[in-house]
Amino acid sequence: MAYYHQANPTVLKKIILFVTTIISLQCAAQKVQPLYPIPTKEQLAWHEKEFYLFIHFGPNTFTDKEWGEGNEDPNIFNPTALDCRQWARIAKQAGAKGIILTAKHHDGFSLWPSKQSTHTVRESKWKNGKGDVLKALSEACKKEGIEMGVYLSPWDRNHPKYGTPEYNDVYIATMKELFTNYGPFFELWWDGANGEGPNGKKQVYDFKRFEQAAFSFQQPLIIFSDIGPSIRWCGNEKGFIGNTNWNLLDTAGFARGLGAPHVDTLNQGNFNGKHWIPAEADVSIRPGWFYHASEDDRVKTPDELFNLYLKSVGNGGNLLLNVPPDRRGLFHPNDSAALMGFAKKRAEAFSHNLFKKASVSTNNQRETALRHLIDENDNTYWTSDRNDQVVIQLKLPYPETLNAVVLEEMIAYGQRVIRFSIEAKQETQFVKVFEGTTIGRKKIATFPKVATNEIKIIIHESKAQPVLRSLSAFYIQSIY
Ligand code: FUL
């Protein structure tokens, strides 16, 4: 009897060895080497935001212009019912994660009482010169639990120092005021536009110093410009990011503004780009960036906004949607209604994941963590043991009609997939329904609806073993 109760040390050692080998083999099967370049922690957090609002507001709102000259009477700025809480509340309800405000546009007018300028809210009639839009917005965002960012135009058509080396100091001091009094910001937005100032001179921007200064005022910080350093322009103002979209960019030899890479490069990134600089799509809900009453009936519809979402977030980037307040200082009801319709459309489209109850199999040995593909957990992933002809098969419990598959890479390990396709089983054969290139943070693949109970995802080419975070499938009513 004693024999059965006393563990034999040799047998015990063998059992322990066996168990630890199995555990470490399973871990090794999932252990992934990053494929550089990879995103920073801040960039990863930025990717997760997906969608946020832009707000263009200032003298142009009252003069009906898009580019003010900088010589407008500051008294023209006089919103009758400004309410930043309304902006923030609607942004939140629309699912936007933050608001980026034009703290200063090209006319040089500052929406806060800046010490660096004499063209500000302080010089206006609004609230007898005691108003401060930056303060009001930062309080409103905090109350609504969304984040705030700032657009600060380097081009300034009002500042007397513009066009001289001292203006670079002015720009840095202006940034400092913003960061110190109203930060932290989730994003700092640098416009590449560089025109003439009041004295007819153009400015040589010292972006190197601007960058160092901004990072000294706030760390971590995401800075947008044509070429980063943190995120890039997508090459157009229509809200479309390339179907092929590498989060990578080569910046050596390029500059912001006219010296930027070709717009197609910004739109698609560089296949072998040296830096992780993902694309942001900036677009307005109306034809103009600023409010014009004549455009009240030209607000994009929920369907059009949803299409923009597919072309930006659905191509692995973020969507920065401009909603310009009117002369009261409020979102116009047409814009608010479109935003609510857009939110509803997204909620309806992605609420019923048809892969949730699927059974998953693959053509390679790493079967163990396959469930992570459909567990709807952003922190888990599955990786393959090969980098070409990876086939993932998803069997549904019963046939479903679907027209969209959402694929996500675990980009913390780098962007890898070069080319993939999707097939749906029809009777006894698989039929190709989608051919794609990159996946990145998110790819929303849409195709004509198909009724099926089996889907194959085939990764034909990948820079290294694909590391996938999630696969989901949907039927979206009336894809635009
Ligand atoms: C451009 C500006 O010139 C437009 O007025 C607008 O602010 C847009 C977002 O960026 O470069």
Side-chain angles (χ1 to χ4, degrees), residues 54 56 66-67 105-106 151 189 191 193 237 282 289:
F54 215 177
H56 277 65
E66 278 292 307
W67 280 7
H105 201 252
H106 308 329
Y151 165 113
W189 216 92
D191 196 317
E237 290 179 339
D282 60 315
W289 292 103

Side-chain angles (χ1 to χ4, degrees), residues 157-168:
R157 302 174 98 181
N158 173 272
H159 206 284
K161 295 249 170 76
Y162 190 85
T164 72
E166 294 92 76
Y167 175 77
N168 289 326

